[in-house]
């Protein structure tokens, strides 16, 4: 592990810092400092447009598809600098649009799909959501039962997806559907792209513990999509899905330590004379530092080998369980006050509230709720442990 970045990336880092100086509002204290939720959401939209206009979205994509053909290292430096400045590196749906689907299309898409969809993702014309999970298929995703049948020049889709994050803000969904019910479960699945704005699609919000409705149920009743909207081979969707799930971790090895450290600093600033709580704060500090070194180890692997290794599962397990500890500690520090919510909830249902967030109970209790979901989405802790046991330690199934 080498915790230093190569010097050749420094001019790019300077360019990003100059861009931030030029474009962030005077006195910028981080997205979390915008107290009004609608105002914060409007800022994220306009900031995304600023990133796009300046070539800072999809930066590692080839220029012919609207990207900037930058290196992986430059991409990492960019997200790191943005995280440090307390601004998002993308819009709310872009985890699905850019990180997951866009990068998957680069690997699996046809030339026509890349030329059509990738620029529309960067411009924001298309916003995507992920239709994988079903009421009976989560960890065992390959057991899914939503069906698609090829009827002339279009696919007809019937079934139900669940926990579909940000589906109401999206206009397209990428989904897995069973296209050969006679094949073995992994071998009869196709990866489809489907427009949401049609009579055959019904999106119903699910209200979470926090009161927010970031995810949804999506029902398909004879919903249709063009025959050409298959990614990869017909019945070969499982391989495409695996590529996509690997991409979900993205550059979080670089940004997580910054965001979790900013959150921990807010917690340390709350202060306490209680020796037990002080001991737990010290423990959280040590764990946060371990996360930073784990991140550096992963980044070193990505830069040397070009791919995320098994460390990605260690990282997912580590940050999600760390976050439950630290947000539970926040509630213990706040004491009885935590029972009365004040201020807005975090802007997203994932990970920390944004840097600069105030010490309202809305922020801390909301982060506590979000942390509860962290060990479930993107692969549960049990599933991560199984991956590590079987694929890293070589233990028997
Ligand atoms: C906030 C949030 C956002 C989400 N967004 C999306 C989205 O946008 N799109 C989407 O498709 N899905 C989304 N999901 C769904 C997510 O992918 C699933 O919740 C996850 O895969 C787990 O599936 P499940 O909920 O069906 O639980 P199950 O798979 O039913 O698991 C229930 C319990 O059994 C355990 N378990 C299951 N199998 C095993 C095993 N083999 N060995 C040991 N233990 C096991 C699990 O660890 C868990 O504790 C989201 C979930 C959350 C919480």
């Amino acid at each position: 592990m080498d915790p230093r970045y190569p010097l050749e990336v420094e001019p790019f880092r300077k360019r990003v810092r100059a861009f931030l100086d030029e474009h962030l509002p005077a006195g910028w204290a981080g997205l979390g400092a915008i107290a009004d939720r609608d105002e914060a959401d409007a800022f994220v939209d306009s900031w995304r447009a600023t990133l796009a206009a300046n070539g800072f979205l999809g930066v590692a994509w080839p220029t012919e598809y609207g990207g900037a053909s930058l290196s992986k290292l430059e991409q990492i430096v960019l997200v790191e600098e943005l995280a440090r400045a307390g601004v998002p590196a993308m819009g709310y749906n872009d985890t699905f649009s850019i990180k997951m689907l866009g990068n998957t299309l680069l690997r699996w898409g046809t030339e026509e799909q890349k030329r059509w969809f990738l620029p529309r993702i960067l411009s924001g014309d298309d916003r995507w959501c992920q239709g994988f999970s079903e009421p009976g298929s989560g960890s065992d995703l390959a057991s899914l039962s939503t069906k698609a049948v090829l009827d002339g020049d279009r696919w007809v889709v019937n079934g139900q997806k669940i926990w579909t994050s940000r589906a109401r803000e999206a206009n397209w969904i990428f989904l897995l559907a069973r296209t050969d019910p006679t094949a073995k479960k992994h071998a009869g699945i196709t990866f489809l792209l489907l427009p949401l704005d049609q009579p055959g699609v019904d999106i119903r919000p699910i209200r979470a513990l926090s009161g927010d409705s970031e995810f949804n149920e999506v029902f398909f009743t004879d919903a249709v999509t063009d025959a050409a909207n298959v990614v990869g081979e017909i019945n070969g969707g499982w391989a495409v899905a695996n590529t996509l799930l690997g991409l979900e971790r993205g550059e979080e090895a670089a940004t997580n330590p910054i965001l979790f450290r900013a959150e921990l600093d807010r917690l340390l600033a709350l202060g306490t004379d209680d020796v037990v709580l002080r001991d737990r704060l010290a423990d959280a500090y040590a764990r946060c530092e371990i996360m930073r070194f784990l991140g550096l180890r992963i980044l070193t692997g990505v830069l040397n080998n070009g791919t995320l290794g098994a460390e990605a599962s260690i990282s997912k397990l580590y940050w999600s369980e760390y976050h439950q500890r630290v947000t539970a500690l926040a509630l213990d520090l706040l004491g009885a006050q935590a029972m009365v919510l004040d201020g807005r909830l975090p802007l997203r249902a994932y990970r920390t509230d944004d840097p600069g967030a105030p010490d309202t109970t809305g922020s801390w209790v909301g982060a506590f709720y979000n942390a509860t979901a962290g060990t479930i989405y993107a692969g549960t802790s049990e599933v991560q442990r199984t991956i590590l046991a079987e694929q890293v330690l070589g233990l028997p199934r």
Side-chain angles (χ1 to χ4, degrees):
M1 180 178 86
D2 182 353
R4 291 162 304 165
Y5 286 103
L7 280 177
E8 78 227 26
V9 84
E10 288 315 307
F12 178 72
R13 192 185 293 280
K14 277 204 186 112
R15 201 182 116 202
V16 176
R17 287 185 181 169
F19 161 79
L20 289 168
D21 284 345
E22 190 187 338
H23 291 280
L24 282 178
W28 176 254
L31 180 63
I34 304 179
D36 180 75
R37 187 164 187 153
D38 291 340
E39 240 177 77
D41 287 347
F43 176 86
V44 173
D45 285 345
S46 75
W47 180 249
R48 186 199 191 276
T50 305
L51 289 172
N54 287 273
F56 282 131
L57 272 188
V59 290
W61 294 3
T63 39
E64 68 256 43
Y65 307 128
S69 293
L70 294 184
S71 68
K72 269 212 171 78
L73 181 60
E74 287 167 323
Q75 185 182 1
I76 288 167
V77 166
L78 171 66
V79 294
E80 196 180 85
E81 289 300 322
L82 294 171
R84 242 182 229 137
V87 272
M90 42 177 69
Y92 291 138
N93 274 69
D94 288 325
T95 297
F96 307 110
S97 307
I98 297 179
K99 264 166 90 172
M100 292 182 166
L101 182 70
N103 286 320
T104 299
L105 286 178
L106 282 176
R107 162 77 179 78
W108 288 97
T110 61
E111 195 52 34
E112 290 73 29
Q113 286 171 339
K114 288 190 260 195
R115 287 195 184 277
W116 175 256
F117 287 115
L118 295 179
R120 292 178 61 83
I121 285 176
L122 295 183
S123 66
D125 286 325
D126 290 343
R127 296 162 310 285
W128 290 82
C129 61
Q130 177 190 22
F132 278 16
S133 304
E134 297 184 4
S137 304
S139 304
D140 182 17
L141 184 58
S143 67
L144 59 90
S145 55
T146 292
K147 276 199 195 73
V149 176
L150 193 55
D151 177 16
D153 59 359
R154 55 188 207 162
W155 290 95
V156 181
V157 180
N158 282 285
Q160 185 200 340
K161 297 293 174 179
I162 196 169
W163 316 124
T164 320
S165 303
R166 303 200 71 82
R168 281 167 294 140
E169 292 79 10
N171 60 341
W172 280 80
I173 185 167
F174 53 86
L175 63 96
L176 294 176
R178 188 154 304 284
T179 41
D180 182 356
T182 62
K184 280 196 177 156
K185 64 179 182 178
H186 293 88
I189 293 171
T190 300
F191 190 109
L192 292 174
L193 311 175
L194 184 132
L196 287 170
D197 186 13
Q198 56 169 304
V201 176
D202 180 17
I203 303 175
R204 299 181 201 162
I206 299 173
R207 202 170 140 90
L209 188 66
S210 63
D212 259 356
S213 295
E214 180 146 329
F215 46 35
N216 307 269
E217 295 176 289
V218 182
F219 294 86
F220 304 99
T221 311
D222 291 333
V224 291
T225 192
D226 200 276
N229 285 334
V230 172
V231 183
E233 300 288 320
I234 294 175
N235 296 323
W238 190 247
V240 185
N242 273 316
T243 300
L244 184 135
L245 292 171
L247 290 164
E248 190 169 2
R249 311 261 185 266
E251 307 86 22
E252 66 185 32
T255 52
N256 270 352
I258 297 171
L259 298 175
F260 282 114
R261 179 57 194 268
E263 182 189 66
L264 180 63
D265 284 345
R266 286 172 51 215
L267 196 58
L268 291 169
L270 282 180
T272 173
D273 291 330
D274 182 304
V275 286
V276 175
L277 291 176
R278 286 172 75 86
D279 189 52
R280 285 171 63 194
L281 279 169
D283 175 80
Y285 179 87
R287 285 174 193 271
C288 198
E289 279 295 280
I290 292 170
M291 189 190 310
R292 187 162 69 84
F293 283 103
L294 191 55
L296 287 167
R297 191 169 81 178
I298 292 169
L299 291 178
T300 306
V302 171
L303 295 174
N304 290 343
N305 313 322
T307 51
L308 279 176
E311 281 92 352
S313 280
I314 303 178
S315 166
K316 165 71 185 23
L317 192 59
Y318 192 89
W319 72 251
S320 57
E321 298 194 348
Y322 162 85
H323 204 210
Q324 290 182 352
R325 283 176 101 95
V326 100
T327 51
L329 171 57
L331 264 52
D332 288 343
L333 277 163
L334 290 168
Q337 203 192 326
M339 288 191 280
V340 183
L341 278 193
D342 79 291
R344 63 154 176 75
L345 293 168
L347 298 172
R348 288 158 294 118
Y350 306 97
R351 275 169 249 193
T352 65
D353 200 350
D354 287 285
D359 285 319
T360 53
T361 50
S363 173
W364 284 116
V365 176
F368 172 78
Y369 289 145
N370 290 349
T372 307
T375 53
I376 302 172
Y377 62 74
T380 67
S381 283
E382 288 78 8
V383 168
Q384 302 307 318
R385 285 195 165 86
T386 301
I387 292 171
L388 290 170
E390 290 176 2
Q391 294 176 26
V392 181
L393 300 175
L395 296 174
R397 279 177 67 81

